[in-house]
């Protein structure tokens, strides 16, 4: 029971798109509960649920209007209790999402702030500022929202006059909280305890590097995603991301979860570079883990992969934390599609109908190889719903069905994240491929999802689903997630290949070179694709071996 999270495989459920019990086209908690046995059978250790709290759903639930209840679309608090209890019965832990950087503009606090006067306690919980320029008509600084457009919106004061501005690093309906306010600390402590008391095993912390802003909110001339594209150095750090003071909040939170039994854990979503800065979130008195986005942006190339794996493992070991590994989530293009482009040619942003399209077959082949590499690494791995089916991104969603605020705030310049959020297929022959009883889905599913439905892969040798199951079983059996170092096999590491010893198992990856001959006497435990004649490892394939 101790430190289960160190080598845990955590499966991300995106509630809107996992399973719909009532036929309204949007997934819900009873739907998730009914499908938990499938996740237990897959062999994961824990489930992380993206937000299911009351929310106007302007950012698919990451705009929370009440942190201690359930959005009626998704069910009730009783449904949440039932879900947690059922998961525990099945031996699955439950990690819930917490969104502490911003609330929804419909949160009671923001409504109270709008009604209150400048300088009031109600406004001090957010970043309200007078504007610059004549009559305060210019935003207080030049910050840009991550979703596009200015990071400030002006309010009308109670008497109807144009008033102060409030900060929102994301959508205008997601006002940033001010962590200078003691009320905010207290509110989140109460919320953490609320879910811990209900049996949550941990929290995934949304934009965990964002909560503290530099005093005075100085201008910042780099509006790239999540803090900019310019090189960040100790002398030049963004005023809104990865501030030193944020660590104090996590020390406070660590004390809260440590007061509970059951080994609860905290994991940060923090887009922070370099890795040494990210590792600081996981020092012994802070969070248990932080998502390793360096890993998911690394191209499918031997040298790049070797470097990112080494940096991550060494960097995490330096603070005594496990590395984490993430290939897909609800914000980035699914890896089965991302890898369908020439290596290093494509970032994480969405793919639209008029963009270059991925090579689906190559993408899946590499995705499977990347997954088998990931699942043999020391540390904790995060899976995103549907990747165990090899689902591709939906790359031809028409503009009129898109819902991501990024699409609207950039005036359609950025496609956004809808393509990875499409409801997942369970049964090829059923309406909505078995997502729900009615055939309705909040985003249309691509035809490619039919043949990839779970029932088509269940028990089928060589299917992506069976590969994941076998990998998770062997990972457990051989303790592949344990340890905090990498043992490269020099004779298997070349320009287009890597070899890695993990206890009794040797992992061989061919990143696109000629067939690789296996060491003599090797017993093949699992492969991501068919072997070549003569038992060699073909390009874009990973093999787990025993007895080398
Ligand atoms: C995180 C979430 C993303 C959300 C954003 C704002 O990056 O993963 O989905 O839009 O935070 O809450």
């Amino acid at each position: 029971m101790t430190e289960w999270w160190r080598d845990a495989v955590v499966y991300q459920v995106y509630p809107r798109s996992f399973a719909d019990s009532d036929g309204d086209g949007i997934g819900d908690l009873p739907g998730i509960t009914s499908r938990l046995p499938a996740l237990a059978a897959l062999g994961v250790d824990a489930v992380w649920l993206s937000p299911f709290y009351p929310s106007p759903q302007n950012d698919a639930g990451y705009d929370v209007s009440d942190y201690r209840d359930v959005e009626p679309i998704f069910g009730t608090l009783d449904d949440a209790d039932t879900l947690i209890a059922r998961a525990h019965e099945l031996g699955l832990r439950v990690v819930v999402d917490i969104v502490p950087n911003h609330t929804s503009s419909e949160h009671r606090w923001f409504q109270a702030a709008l009604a209150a006067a400048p300088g009031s306690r109600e406004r001090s919980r957010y970043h309200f500022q007078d504007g610059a320029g004549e009559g305060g008509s210019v935003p207080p600084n030049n910050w840009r929202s991550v979703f596009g457009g200015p990071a400030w919106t002006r309010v009308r004061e109670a008497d109807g006059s144009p008033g102060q501005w409030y900060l929102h690093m994301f959508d205008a309906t997601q006002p940033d909280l001010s962590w200078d306010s003691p009320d905010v600390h207290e509110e989140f402590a109460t919320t953490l305890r609320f879910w811990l008391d209900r049996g949550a095993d941990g929290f995934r912390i949304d934009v965990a590097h964002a909560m503290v802003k530099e005093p005075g909110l100085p201008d910042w001339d780099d509006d790239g995603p999540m803090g900019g594209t310019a090189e960040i150095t100790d002398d030049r750090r963004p005023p809104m991301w990865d501030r030193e003071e944020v660590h104090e909040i996590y020390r406070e939170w660590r004390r809260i979860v440590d007061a509970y039994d059951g080994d609860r854990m905290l994991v940060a979503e923090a887009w922070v570079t370099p890795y040494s800065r990210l590792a600081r979130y996981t020092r012994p008195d802070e969070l248990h883990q932080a998502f390793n986005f360096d890993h998911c942006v690394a191209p499918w190339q031997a040298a790049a992969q070797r470097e990112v794996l080494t940096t991550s493992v060494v960097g995490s070991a330096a603070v005594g934390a496990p590395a984490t590994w993430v290939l897909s989530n609800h914000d980035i293009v699914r890896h089965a599609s991302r890898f369908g482009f020439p290596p290093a040619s494509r970032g994480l942003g969405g793919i639209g109908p008029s963009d270059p399209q991925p090579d689906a077959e190559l993408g899946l082949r590499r995705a499977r190889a990347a997954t088998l590499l990931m699942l043999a690494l020391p540390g904790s791995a995060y899976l995103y719903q549907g990747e165990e089916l090899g689902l591709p991104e939906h790359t031809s969603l028409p503009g009129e069905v898109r819902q991501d605020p990024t699409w609207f705030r950039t005036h359609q310049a950025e496609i956004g994240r809808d393509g990875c959020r499409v409801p997942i297929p369970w049964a090829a022959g059923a309406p909505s491929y078995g997502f729900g009883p009615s055939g309705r889905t909040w985003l249309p599913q691509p035809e490619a999802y039919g043949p990839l439905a779970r029932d088509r892969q269940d028990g089928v040798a060589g299917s992506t689903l069976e590969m994941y199951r076998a990998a998770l079983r062997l990972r457990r059996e051989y303790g592949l997630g344990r340890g905090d170092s990498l043992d490269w096999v020099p004779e298997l590491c070349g320009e287009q290949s890597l070899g890695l010893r993990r206890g009794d198992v040797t992992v061989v990856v061919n990143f696109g070179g000629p067939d690789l001959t296996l060491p003599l006497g090797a017993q093949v435990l699992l492969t991501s694709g068919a072997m070549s004649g003569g038992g060699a490892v073909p390009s874009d394939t990973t093999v787990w071996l025993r007895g080398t």
Side-chain angles (χ1 to χ4, degrees):
M1 164 96 156
T2 55
E3 305 202 321
W4 61 275
W5 39 271
R6 280 195 177 271
D7 61 351
V9 176
V10 184
Y11 183 100
Q12 180 186 359
V13 167
Y14 193 66
R16 297 178 73 85
S17 300
F18 188 69
D20 175 19
S21 73
D22 58 11
D24 67 355
I26 304 179
D28 47 47
L29 299 187
I32 298 169
T33 304
S34 73
R35 297 292 194 179
L36 286 174
L39 301 185
L42 179 61
V44 300
D45 301 291
V47 173
W48 146 36
L49 301 165
S50 280
F52 49 79
Y53 317 112
S55 159
Q57 301 288 315
N58 290 325
D59 185 22
Y62 282 95
D63 48 326
V64 181
S65 53
D66 180 351
Y67 290 81
R68 301 195 284 274
D69 206 342
V70 172
E71 163 63 36
I73 297 174
F74 297 132
T76 62
L77 259 185
D78 279 348
D79 293 331
D81 291 342
T82 306
L83 188 161
I84 294 172
R86 179 74 181 123
H88 288 167
E89 257 170 44
L90 291 164
L92 297 167
R93 314 243 179 188
V94 180
V95 174
V96 298
D97 219 304
I98 188 143
V99 188
N101 179 65
H102 44 264
T103 67
S104 159
S105 53
E106 289 186 17
H107 191 278
R108 65 186 153 72
W109 271 4
F110 192 72
Q111 291 300 314
L114 289 179
S120 58
R121 174 170 174 181
E122 286 80 358
R123 290 214 173 168
S124 73
R125 297 170 182 147
Y126 295 90
H127 292 278
F128 276 89
Q129 298 273 316
D130 293 333
E134 205 177 315
S137 60
V138 178
N141 70 22
N142 69 351
W143 295 4
R144 312 278 301 165
S145 150
V146 172
F147 293 162
W152 294 93
T153 292
R154 194 170 196 187
V155 302
R156 288 206 166 268
E157 300 301 350
D159 64 3
S161 62
Q164 289 194 300
W165 298 73
Y166 67 89
L167 177 68
H168 51 87
M169 291 312 303
F170 296 90
D171 192 53
T173 61
Q174 293 167 298
D176 278 45
L177 287 161
S178 168
W179 279 81
D180 288 340
S181 158
D183 292 351
V184 174
H185 288 253
E186 209 183 298
E187 177 72 6
F188 277 88
T190 306
T191 296
L192 292 176
R193 292 195 182 99
F194 178 86
W195 291 107
L196 290 166
D197 288 339
R198 299 191 102 86
D201 297 286
F203 297 91
R204 175 266 188 191
I205 305 165
D206 191 62
V207 279
H209 58 313
M211 281 130 83
V212 180
K213 278 78 181 178
E214 186 173 334
L217 310 180
D219 280 351
W220 176 248
D221 289 319
D222 185 350
D223 67 351
M226 289 280 192
T229 46
E231 198 188 341
I232 296 168
T233 64
D234 280 342
D235 301 331
R236 189 177 177 281
R237 311 207 63 84
M240 70 293 266
W241 309 119
D242 192 28
R243 305 286 309 163
E244 200 49 42
E245 301 80 356
V246 86
H247 294 282
E248 211 32 67
I249 300 172
Y250 297 131
R251 295 194 180 99
E252 192 182 312
W253 286 20
R254 180 63 180 254
R255 288 191 291 272
I256 294 172
V257 295
D258 278 355
Y260 281 76
D261 62 5
D263 209 5
R264 322 285 175 114
M265 64 85 99
L266 298 163
V267 55
E269 183 221 18
W271 293 82
V272 170
T273 55
Y275 196 87
S276 53
R277 292 287 303 187
L278 181 70
R280 298 169 89 245
Y281 287 74
T282 57
R283 290 176 291 195
D285 59 347
E286 297 190 43
L287 309 176
H288 302 76
Q289 298 181 345
F291 293 150
N292 181 357
F293 292 119
D294 289 354
H295 171 239
C296 76
V297 300
W300 182 243
Q301 281 166 337
Q305 291 283 329
R306 182 171 176 161
E307 187 182 333
V308 77
L309 303 190
T310 306
T311 309
S312 314
V313 169
V314 170
S316 284
V319 291
T324 68
W325 313 104
V326 183
L327 288 167
S328 285
N329 69 27
H330 66 292
D331 290 328
I332 62 182
V333 170
R334 285 182 175 276
H335 67 288
S337 296
R338 223 166 60 228
F339 288 139
F341 293 93
S345 71
R346 207 172 192 297
L348 302 175
I351 302 171
S354 52
D355 292 326
Q357 297 293 303
D359 175 335
E361 205 179 309
L362 180 65
L364 179 57
R365 182 181 176 84
R366 287 188 182 145
R368 290 170 52 131
T371 297
L372 273 204
L373 170 59
M374 169 172 90
L375 291 177
L377 296 172
S380 178
Y382 282 77
L383 309 180
Y384 177 49
Q385 63 178 37
E387 70 168 80
E388 76 280 21
L389 306 175
L391 294 189
E393 186 83 356
H394 193 329
T395 58
S396 55
L397 282 172
E400 59 278 12
V401 304
R402 294 195 165 275
Q403 309 213 7
D404 184 350
T406 313
W407 168 252
F408 300 103
R409 289 189 59 87
T410 61
H411 306 288
Q412 285 88 49
E414 275 183 44
I415 285 291
R417 303 161 293 176
D418 295 305
C420 62
R421 298 176 172 180
V422 172
I424 63 170
W426 294 87
S432 66
Y433 300 130
F435 165 66
S438 70
R440 285 171 68 192
T441 56
W442 69 280
L443 284 173
Q445 298 164 299
E447 270 174 26
Y449 277 21
L452 294 172
R454 191 167 302 249
D455 68 339
R456 286 289 175 90
Q457 301 195 40
D458 199 4
V460 176
S463 69
T464 304
L465 179 61
E466 291 303 336
M467 183 197 85
Y468 269 77
R469 277 188 188 147
L472 293 173
R473 182 173 46 75
L474 291 166
R475 175 184 162 91
R476 202 179 287 253
E477 192 177 320
Y478 287 94
L480 295 180
R482 297 206 199 114
D484 61 0
S485 61
L486 292 173
D487 184 7
W488 299 105
V489 185
E491 56 278 21
L492 292 171
C493 291
E495 232 169 75
Q496 308 201 68
S497 66
L498 288 178
L500 189 60
R501 202 155 274 134
R502 301 283 306 127
D504 292 339
V505 175
T506 300
V507 180
V508 182
V509 191
N510 182 340
F511 287 89
D515 284 5
L516 273 177
T517 312
L518 289 180
L520 277 180
Q523 176 203 343
V524 174
L525 288 174
L526 187 61
T527 70
S528 67
M531 302 289 276
S532 298
V537 185
S539 72
D540 300 307
T541 303
T542 298
V543 179
W544 290 3
L545 305 170
R546 229 203 110 121
T548 58

